């Protein structure tokens, strides 16, 4: 991500999905991911980045989580400079592996007026 926005201020939050077994309803695994607000200072706007090593069916939850993340920034007094930025609707998705089609993900984000830019990496995006 640093190569894409080297001089842009950023703030992030680390979250995780709980992957639940259908039969037992017990948490089998967790999948960590990072949401990043990327400020475009000169324009008073911001993009959002999502960093997740492997993305599968949980992509359907991401648009609402983007808005939840932005809402939290808006109400966080310690991030007042970020909260005043207008979200452009552009989401950069950094991943090592997509287990669903890019087209499915794009269409899903478009329902929430977001445009996804894919950045499929070979190395671990958390590094």
């Amino acid at each position: 991500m640093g190569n894409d926005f080297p001089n842009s201020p950023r703030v992030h939050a680390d979250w995780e999905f709980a992957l639940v077994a259908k039969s037992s309803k017990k948490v089998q695994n967790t999948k960590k991911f990072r949401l990043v607000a990327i400020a475009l200072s000169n324009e008073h706007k911001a993009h959002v980045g999502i960093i997740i090593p492997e993305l599968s069916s949980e992509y359907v939850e991401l648009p609402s989580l983007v808005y939840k993340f932005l809402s939290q920034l808006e109400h966080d007094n310690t991030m007042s400079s970020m909260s005043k930025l207008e979200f452009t609707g552009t989401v950069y998705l950094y991943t090592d592996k997509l287990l669903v089609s890019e087209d499915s993900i794009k269409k899903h984000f478009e329902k929430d007026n977001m445009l996804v830019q894919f950045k499929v990496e070979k190395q671990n995006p958390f590094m």
Side-chain angles (χ1 to χ4, degrees):
M1 180 180 282
N3 293 337
D4 293 330
F5 305 99
N7 299 318
S8 295
R10 289 175 246 168
V11 62
H12 72 269
D14 292 324
W15 291 357
E16 65 184 26
F17 289 111
L19 306 174
V20 179
K22 289 182 183 179
S23 58
S24 67
K25 306 289 186 210
K26 292 183 180 180
V27 174
Q28 286 185 309
N29 195 4
T30 58
K31 188 180 283 191
K32 296 179 188 232
F33 65 99
R34 178 172 282 180
L35 291 165
V36 183
I38 307 159
L40 307 173
S41 303
N42 297 337
E43 301 174 39
H44 302 289
K45 296 185 183 220
H47 299 315
V48 169
I50 301 171
I51 304 170
I52 186 165
E54 182 179 281
L55 184 60
S56 58
S57 62
E58 67 274 359
Y59 78 91
V60 298
E61 296 180 46
L62 290 175
S64 63
L65 294 176
V66 166
Y67 284 125
K68 182 178 179 180
F69 172 61
L70 293 170
S71 176
Q72 287 178 350
L73 286 180
E74 192 174 300
H75 295 97
D76 186 344
N77 293 334
T78 61
M79 303 291 176
S80 61
S81 63
M82 292 298 278
S83 68
K84 294 179 175 102
L85 300 175
E86 178 187 342
F87 176 45
T88 64
T90 300
V91 175
Y92 289 87
L93 181 58
Y94 294 85
T95 186
D96 290 340
K97 191 176 197 179
L98 286 176
L99 300 175
V100 291
S101 73
E102 286 186 12
D103 193 48
S104 296
I105 296 169
K106 275 186 180 186
K107 286 179 181 175
H108 188 70
F109 273 80
E110 286 171 357
K111 291 178 191 174
D112 287 294
N113 299 315
M114 292 185 218
L115 172 68
V116 177
Q117 300 291 324
F118 293 93
K119 302 288 185 171
V120 180
E121 305 282 334
K122 292 197 180 183
Q123 72 247 10
N124 185 339
F126 285 106
M127 299 294 173

